Amino acid sequence: MAGPYTSASAVTERVVVNRHSGLAIDGFDPVAYFTDAEAARGQPDIEASRDGAVWRFRNEANRAVFLSHPDIYGPRFGGYDPVDVARGKTVVGQARLWLVSGERLYLFSREDNRNAFAANPEEVVKQANGQWPALLETLSAY
């Protein structure tokens, strides 16, 4: 659920952040999901801080691309599972359970949710979009 893992974001999302490390998406490179089609860990020496989160990248090119378009490369719904968001709940997605759909990155809390999303992404996103504004109000920001 929401709580110590959230941070304010300028792109109308609340990004899931590890409360101990400050890392978004567990230190995985958000651009690599798109460019390499894989969940790849970023390097500790290639980071960017944005909107209260620390993002890590595999290389400087990915860092530059992300900083130019964080609204595209950051996970949709801030990294919360879109299937759970559609159900009116905020459950943190896992960096290794992901899909890119409609040119956006989605993270999932469990395999069943990823499969449900893959079967009908447009409907899940539509329902999640309807729930998201109210859920944002319940998330604490630092």
Side-chain angles (χ1 to χ4, degrees), residues 67-78:
L67 290 173
S68 295
H69 302 286
D71 52 323
I72 293 173
Y73 293 102
R76 182 73 172 95
F77 304 112

Side-chain angles (χ1 to χ4, degrees):
M1 296 299 284
Y5 295 100
T6 60
S7 174
S9 175
V11 291
T12 69
E13 306 274 0
R14 287 258 168 38
V15 178
V16 176
V17 175
N18 180 290
R19 67 179 172 173
H20 300 293
S21 67
L23 291 174
I25 58 174
D26 294 325
F28 283 77
D29 181 336
V31 178
Y33 292 101
F34 295 86
T35 59
D36 302 331
E38 69 175 349
R41 287 216 179 263
Q43 302 297 318
D45 58 336
I46 307 174
E47 294 182 339
S49 293
R50 184 163 180 88
D51 301 320
V54 176
W55 300 86
R56 286 191 175 164
F57 305 92
R58 294 180 80 172
N59 54 54
E60 288 292 340
N62 284 8
R63 181 181 181 277
V65 167
F66 176 83
L67 290 173
S68 295
H69 302 286
D71 52 323
I72 293 173
Y73 293 102
R76 182 73 172 95
F77 304 112
Y80 292 98
D81 185 320
V83 174
D84 287 316
V85 170
R87 295 175 180 146
K89 303 185 300 185
T90 52
V91 179
V92 174
Q94 299 178 40
R96 287 193 168 104
L97 281 176
W98 62 278
L99 281 175
V100 171
S101 178
E103 299 182 10
R104 288 300 310 265
L105 171 63
Y106 296 90
L107 303 179
F108 301 90
S109 60
R110 57 187 195 273
E111 189 77 34
D112 289 349
N113 282 6
R114 182 170 66 178
N115 293 341
F117 180 90
N120 195 352
E122 295 84 10
E123 184 61 27
V124 173
V125 169
K126 179 181 172 186
Q127 291 176 10
N129 282 336
Q131 295 284 350
W132 190 235
L135 290 173
L136 273 174
E137 295 295 320
T138 69
L139 298 174
S140 63
Y142 291 22

